[in-house]
Amino acid sequence: MRPIRPGDRGPAAAEIRTVLVRLGLLPEDTGDDRYGPTAERAIRAFQQSRGLIADGVVDDQTWHALDGARWQLGDRPLFAARPEPLTGDDVRALQERLLEMGYDVGRADAVFGDRTAHALGKFQREVGLTSDGSFGPATMAALRRLGRKVTGGRPQLLRESALLHHAGPALVGKRIVIDPGHGGDDTGVTVPDGMLRWTEADIVYDLASRLEGRLAAAGVQVHLTRNRDTWFPERERARFANDLGADLLISLHCDGHPNPAAQGVAAYHFGGPVGVTSTVGEQLAGLVEREVAARTGMLDCGAHAKGWDLLRLTRMPAVRVEVGYLTSPDDRAKLIDPVFRDRAVEAMVAAIQRMYLTKDSDFPTGTFDVSSLRTALAAR
């Protein structure tokens, strides 16, 4: 859909107001076809609660979240639909409940796919119900009767940590997807500079190419989600990584802000104010932002949980890295410098390697020698 912005009028703006009223986020529907200040405040609050960018713009991600919010667990039957799976808050609530009881649905992504159906079928079998992988009144009643199966720690944390441990410390053979943000006609943040024009899409593609080379030299199987001139929606990029069975996904972006004083590097992982968080993604996001800040001198803006499609729909740990603000004169001077880009990429490689190391063999931030990876590979 075309993004709906504050002040827009028309059927789409009227539909947004109707949905907000239905969700109880607006007191009444006045029949106005304008997306005005009251609706904007409601949308910003909703976006904040869902781990989306709280900019008041209703884009595809915000609209899908609004549409899914109308469903509560028990409102409708749930099953693995074809070709378009069922999505919504009721699906996410079911996934989170199954995770709490120790059943592996993967990520609580609000999409009722085969993995969720398989986990639900296992639960049904263990409580004496017909194991058909669909959710109805009998399954709802069984869920209400039962509590957690796993105690003493989040099952998702235990599961992701175990997979990370079994992966081993070596990067050789790991499959990593690098996602250069934007692309094609979508240039992202764009800043004129005299006769030049710096674009986020070009800068992150260069970073992705450098990261691809560094990781490949360390024995990693690397895949990019786009080439220099193409663009794909986040859902397709997530599907690409899932189909490859990737071990990790790193999405590269530059940030922008009307205030040129805004600067620094930040990283994001799947999660939100409530609900299940990708624990390994959270670990990798923290490592990346700290390594980049330490090796480049950029301001450290921390690691944060978000519910963006690329982080939510990927089945592997995924992080999005905002490698500085292109709208900041200080950050921009670094981002357009090839030497800085090499240091930033080296920091990301160090973070990826450190994630696979045990606590006993880890290194302090900013000290891991990335060249040792190539040396070790050459000696094999």
Side-chain angles (χ1 to χ4, degrees):
M1 64 176 288
R2 178 183 67 83
I4 306 301
R5 304 178 184 279
D8 284 356
R9 290 183 178 274
E15 178 65 15
I16 290 170
R17 292 185 59 88
T18 300
V19 172
L20 289 172
V21 171
R22 188 167 65 234
L23 295 177
L25 302 177
L26 279 182
E28 61 179 348
D29 189 358
T30 61
D32 190 1
D33 69 346
R34 177 173 175 264
Y35 178 31
T38 304
E40 180 190 353
R41 286 193 294 272
I43 287 293
R44 286 179 182 271
F46 176 79
Q47 290 171 322
Q48 186 74 27
S49 71
R50 298 305 173 108
L52 304 173
I53 297 175
D55 56 4
V57 177
V58 183
D59 56 8
D60 279 339
Q61 292 199 46
T62 298
W63 179 252
H64 286 142
L66 281 169
D67 185 58
R70 62 194 171 113
W71 300 110
Q72 300 300 310
L73 190 60
D75 286 352
R76 59 176 175 168
L78 298 174
F79 52 93
R82 297 287 191 275
E84 289 296 323
L86 297 176
T87 62
D89 280 16
D90 52 347
V91 178
R92 184 177 62 202
L94 173 62
Q95 291 170 326
E96 290 181 352
R97 187 66 192 277
L98 289 170
L99 282 169
E100 288 174 353
M101 294 189 297
Y103 297 97
D104 183 10
V105 302
R107 184 164 295 172
D109 58 6
V111 179
F112 197 107
D114 290 338
R115 198 165 177 177
T116 299
H118 178 77
L120 183 59
K122 185 175 180 181
F123 164 76
Q124 291 170 322
R125 184 165 57 252
E126 291 184 2
V127 297
L129 299 175
T130 301
S131 179
D132 59 4
S134 62
F135 179 85
T139 305
M140 182 71 178
L143 278 177
R144 286 173 172 163
R145 288 195 303 267
L146 296 177
R148 296 171 182 255
K149 282 183 61 178
V150 177
T151 59
R154 287 178 294 173
Q156 185 71 358
L157 170 60
L158 301 175
R159 188 176 294 115
E160 288 192 352
S161 298
L163 289 173
L164 186 65
H165 173 74
H166 289 305
L171 291 185
V172 176
K174 298 287 193 303
R175 188 177 291 115
I176 296 178
V177 170
I178 305 171
D179 171 51
H182 306 281
D185 293 334
D186 177 10
T187 58
V189 179
T190 302
V191 178
D193 184 10
M195 299 295 291
L196 301 174
R197 187 183 71 141
W198 304 108
T199 71
E200 177 185 3
D202 288 342
I203 287 175
V204 297
Y205 187 80
D206 180 83
L207 282 166
S209 299
R210 293 169 189 262
L211 183 56
E212 177 187 27
R214 290 292 187 94
L215 289 173
V220 176
Q221 300 176 36
V222 191
H223 303 266
L224 268 62
T225 59
R226 70 170 177 92
N227 60 33
R228 184 175 293 278
D229 301 315
T230 56
W231 173 88
F232 300 97
E234 285 197 356
R235 288 170 176 261
E236 289 189 23
R237 299 181 195 222
R239 186 179 302 115
F240 172 77
N242 290 338
D243 290 346
L244 281 173
D247 297 296
L248 297 175
L249 180 141
I250 311 289
S251 183
L252 301 177
H253 287 258
C254 299
D255 218 331
H257 197 275
N259 185 346
Q263 62 182 125
V265 58
Y268 300 87
H269 60 89
F270 172 68
V274 295
V276 177
T277 291
S278 170
T279 50
V280 176
E282 182 178 7
Q283 178 185 350
L284 178 58
L287 287 169
V288 169
E289 49 91 8
R290 292 194 297 271
E291 284 286 348
V292 172
R295 292 171 187 255
T296 65
M298 299 193 80
L299 180 66
D300 186 346
C301 295
H304 311 275
K306 287 292 181 184
W308 297 326
D309 281 352
L310 191 65
L311 304 179
R312 178 174 62 89
L313 298 176
T314 42
R315 292 196 290 266
M316 73 293 305
V319 299
R320 170 169 164 167
V321 189
E322 298 281 355
V323 194
Y325 281 73
L326 199 53
T327 48
S328 159
D330 291 342
D331 280 6
R332 184 167 64 251
K334 295 175 181 177
L335 287 165
I336 65 178
D337 181 0
V339 175
F340 166 84
R341 293 182 213 168
D342 277 338
R343 286 201 298 267
V345 163
E346 184 175 87
M348 294 179 209
V349 175
I352 292 169
Q353 176 59 86
R354 286 183 61 200
M355 192 190 69
Y356 286 106
L357 298 177
T358 63
K359 290 184 178 180
D360 294 338
S361 58
D362 196 9
F363 293 78
T365 298
T367 65
F368 181 77
D369 181 10
V370 174
S371 65
S372 64
L373 295 173
R374 294 189 294 274
T375 302
L377 185 62
R380 290 172 64 90

